[in-house]
Amino acid sequence: MEDERKVVLIGVGNVGMSYAYALLNQGTVDTLVLLDLNREKAMGEAMDLNHGLPFATGAMHIRTGDYDECRNADIVMLCCGVAQRPGEDRPSLLHRNTEVFRSVISSVKQSGFTGILCVATNPVDVMTRVAQVISGFPPQRVIGTGTLLDTARLRFLLGEYFGVDPRNVHAYVMGEHGESEFIPWSAATIGVKPVRVLCENTEGGFSRAGLLRIQKEVRDSAAKIIAAKGATAYGIGMAMARLTKAILGNERCILTVSAQTKESGYPSVYAGVPTVLCRSGVRESVYPKLLRGEQLRMEASCMVLETYFGETGL
Ligand code: NAD
């Protein structure tokens, strides 16, 4: 089909299927192919989604298949991975997930895939760099979900706090998707008003303490959801659908994905940074002018990611 918008999803677990369900509801793609080591599960998931089609916004082809489906795909989305074993340390988990990526990406490459490789598997910044190194694709074609979800959580919470639509909240979570992530408050605005200025004006009842509460809530959200229901899925699924739409639509919108940027001081490290996305992947990063303390936090976060990458054995 000419102009077909095609995604191959690899890994049909909680995250993969939340993404697939979001794509189905939003009518973002024409063709979605589900691949998994567990072929039977992939088949069942494709059947289940297909039965929702009569109620969907438009036509969509959903099927399982083989890696040769990647040949003419626009996007390959990686959500495959192994779960942490009880007592397993991070280097061991990283090693096992690197092996999963080695086998999957070699098959994707063999197909002759020329599109954008997206990664959601955790630790996402490290696994995105692993994907780039293993694939040998130009860095512009390899993108991680990064702090896209964390940024969505931040914008939602700031919107609630200031009583405005989160779409008018311009604020970003940068660095690692994890413990060392940080919020550059100097670059956060509500419409055109800097958040820090709004907090200096005591009349509004907004305060620095309020912002710090929000920062903590953003960082603790994933752990809270995991404690309550075992895993996170819908938020990240929606974030991945947003990323897909931005790429397929050549939107040139700014999303905080995991990408490489020289300004972090660690040009090989993939980390969450506001990035302009287009049909060919990353167009450029939009690195904010950070205060010295904020830049040090970005560098510290990248140093953590550099150490984790070293643990993959690549
Ligand atoms: P899951 O265990 O439910 O699903 C993983 C799937 O990968 C399984 O279906 C498994 O069969 C498949 N798989 C494993 N090895 C494979 C291989 N070699 N080839 C093909 N498929 C293979 O896990 P989940 O809850 O869906 O999470 C998936 C990943 O997403 C995890 O790494 C998780 O930590 C991550 N995640 C990321 C974010 C984020 O913000 N980036 C948020 C939540 C979860």
Side-chain angles (χ1 to χ4, degrees):
M1 194 200 317
E2 220 172 286
D3 297 332
E4 178 194 33
R5 298 164 303 167
K6 179 176 179 183
V7 168
V8 174
L9 164 61
I10 306 178
V12 299
N14 284 316
V15 170
M17 289 318 298
S18 299
Y19 167 61
Y21 190 59
L23 291 181
L24 174 62
N25 277 300
Q26 296 175 19
T28 312
V29 301
D30 301 303
T31 302
L32 175 65
V33 181
L34 307 181
L35 305 186
D36 198 287
L37 200 56
N38 184 344
R39 284 172 165 260
E40 195 181 354
K41 179 159 194 307
M43 188 266 294
E45 294 290 8
M47 283 177 72
D48 200 1
L49 286 178
N50 270 320
H51 299 165
L53 267 176
F55 313 111
T57 52
M60 188 169 159
H61 298 278
I62 305 167
R63 58 177 181 260
T64 56
D66 277 307
Y67 278 90
D68 57 7
E69 287 276 11
C70 300
R71 189 184 52 79
N72 62 348
D74 299 291
I75 293 174
V76 166
M77 181 65 80
L78 301 180
C79 321
C80 47
V82 289
Q84 196 158 13
R85 292 174 179 146
E88 184 177 34
D89 61 11
R90 191 187 51 240
S92 161
L93 178 67
L94 271 173
H95 226 87
R96 290 197 302 130
N97 269 330
T98 300
E99 287 317 304
V100 168
F101 269 33
R102 215 188 275 284
S103 108
V104 164
I105 292 172
S106 124
S107 304
V108 171
K109 274 195 83 171
Q110 255 171 27
S111 73
F113 173 64
T114 56
I116 313 300
L117 190 57
C118 294
V119 179
T121 304
N122 271 327
V124 68
D125 306 287
V126 181
M127 294 314 296
T128 309
R129 185 168 171 193
V130 164
Q132 194 276 321
V133 170
I134 290 177
S135 67
F137 293 162
Q140 296 76 10
R141 278 180 55 204
V142 185
I143 302 170
T145 51
T147 44
L148 189 52
L149 176 56
D150 316 67
T151 296
R153 288 171 177 153
L154 173 65
R155 291 174 63 200
F156 163 73
L157 291 168
L158 284 176
E160 294 260 291
Y161 187 62
F162 287 104
V164 298
D165 188 324
R167 286 172 301 183
N168 296 121
V169 175
H170 306 289
Y172 306 89
V173 178
M174 289 178 63
E176 176 194 9
H177 168 62
E179 276 297 302
S180 69
E181 70 184 31
F182 74 103
I183 300 166
W185 288 111
S186 67
T189 66
I190 304 294
V192 295
K193 292 239 178 198
V195 161
R196 289 185 320 164
V197 171
L198 288 170
C199 288
E200 276 159 19
N201 178 357
T202 46
E203 274 166 34
F206 306 121
S207 66
R208 216 180 119 68
L211 298 187
L212 293 179
R213 257 198 318 276
I214 288 173
Q215 182 166 295
K216 185 170 174 341
E217 174 78 19
V218 169
R219 183 150 343 144
D220 295 348
S221 286
K224 267 193 192 164
I225 297 170
I226 290 167
K229 56 167 274 199
T232 68
Y234 303 127
I236 182 62
M238 292 285 282
M240 289 150 69
R242 178 71 192 93
L243 173 59
T244 301
K245 192 164 160 280
I247 294 169
L248 294 177
N250 193 28
E251 284 190 27
R252 294 160 297 167
C253 60
I254 298 173
L255 299 177
T256 36
V257 292
S258 196
Q260 292 180 335
T261 172
K262 283 200 223 37
E263 284 132 307
S264 68
Y266 289 80
S268 307
V269 167
Y270 269 82
V273 63
T275 302
V276 181
L277 294 162
C278 62
R279 196 74 172 77
S280 51
V282 168
R283 195 182 78 183
E284 65 198 302
S285 65
V286 188
Y287 200 86
K289 183 160 170 40
L290 298 178
L291 299 177
R292 184 165 158 68
E294 293 169 341
Q295 177 64 19
L296 289 176
R297 293 197 67 177
M298 182 67 180
E299 289 173 19
S301 192
C302 289
M303 201 158 75
V304 166
L305 291 169
E306 179 77 353
T307 306
Y308 291 173
F309 181 74
E311 292 170 357
T312 63
L314 276 178

